[in-house]
Amino acid sequence: MNKWQSWVSMGATPILTLGFIVAVCVPSRANNVQITCKTTDSTPKVILSLAKNGTPENYMMLNFLPKYFSAVSAVQDCQNTAKSLQAVYDTGSSKYLTADKLNEQAVVCAVERRGIGCNHYSAQVLFILKPVDNPSQALYEMLGSDFKQAQRPDARTLSRTYTDTRPWWWPL
């Protein structure tokens, strides 16, 4: 038995060591992505900053349009959304944005996968729209061009559309 244990130990140690080295050396996506709310112009925007080849590049993710928000709520919702989306990138917990009706309110939330709505236990509501707003239409209009789907949602669209939180060119 001692001989067997020593062989197992000899085989397991390099594997565990290699796993540790890979875990420590692989750069995390969280360090390369910064989500912030920019309020330098009249419309607050959630900006994704990604370090590519050592140079940060900015991509507008969400534009808090005045037709959906008051000036005060736009800034507050933008800041809260930026913090929430930064946590999403840091943890890798949610991969899609979707819009839904939740308790008679139009909402936009982050979800883990397609097929679940904002009422799912793992969904994270990012902001609330006016009850009369079409949440799918509002989300589409608010999205930056790198995050938009090819087609606008319409009456024939399924009840919910899903937008990847990573731009279309993002490496898998």
Side-chain angles (χ1 to χ4, degrees), residues 4 45 47 60 81-82 93 112 115 144 146 149 155 157:
W4 174 251
K45 294 169 178 46
I47 304 294
M60 197 271 290
T81 298
S93 58
E112 295 174 333
D146 288 315
Q149 298 175 1
T157 303

Side-chain angles (χ1 to χ4, degrees), residues 11-170:
T13 300
I15 292 172
L16 292 173
T17 303
L18 181 61
F20 176 77
I21 290 170
V22 168
V24 170
C25 294
V26 172
S28 75
R29 189 182 322 179
N31 293 334
N32 297 330
V33 174
Q34 293 296 314
I35 309 288
T36 56
C37 174
K38 300 288 184 198
T39 57
T40 54
D41 61 7
S42 62
T43 305
K45 294 169 178 46
V46 172
I47 304 294
L48 179 144
S49 298
L50 175 66
K52 290 171 84 175
N53 301 325
T55 306
E57 294 187 31
N58 295 330
Y59 302 92
M60 197 271 290
M61 209 171 171
L62 288 166
N63 193 8
F64 283 78
L65 301 170
K67 74 190 257 183
Y68 297 114
F69 302 91
S70 71
V72 173
S73 69
V75 171
Q76 188 174 27
D77 286 340
C78 179
Q79 292 170 342
N80 292 338
T81 298
K83 287 178 192 172
S84 296
L85 287 174
Q86 183 66 56
V88 163
Y89 276 92
D90 290 347
T91 62
S93 58
S94 299
K95 295 181 175 63
Y96 296 95
L97 299 179
T98 192
D100 205 350
K101 287 277 188 173
L102 185 62
N103 298 326
E104 301 300 318
Q105 292 184 310
V107 298
V108 172
C109 64
V111 295
E112 295 174 333
R113 59 185 162 76
R114 294 175 184 264
I116 61 176
C118 295
N119 62 344
H120 192 266
Y121 72 91
S122 66
Q124 180 177 4
V125 174
L126 298 174
F127 52 88
I128 299 171
L129 299 160
K130 297 175 199 149
V132 296
D133 291 333
N134 176 327
S136 293
Q137 185 67 32
L139 176 58
Y140 184 84
E141 290 177 10
M142 293 173 65
L143 286 170
S145 59
D146 288 315
F147 297 90
K148 281 192 182 191
Q149 298 175 1
Q151 293 183 330
R152 300 176 71 88
D154 64 17
R156 295 179 305 236
T157 303
L158 296 174
S159 62
R160 226 176 273 113
T161 57
Y162 296 90
T163 301
D164 201 328
T165 58
R166 299 164 302 184
W168 61 268
W169 43 261
W170 191 284

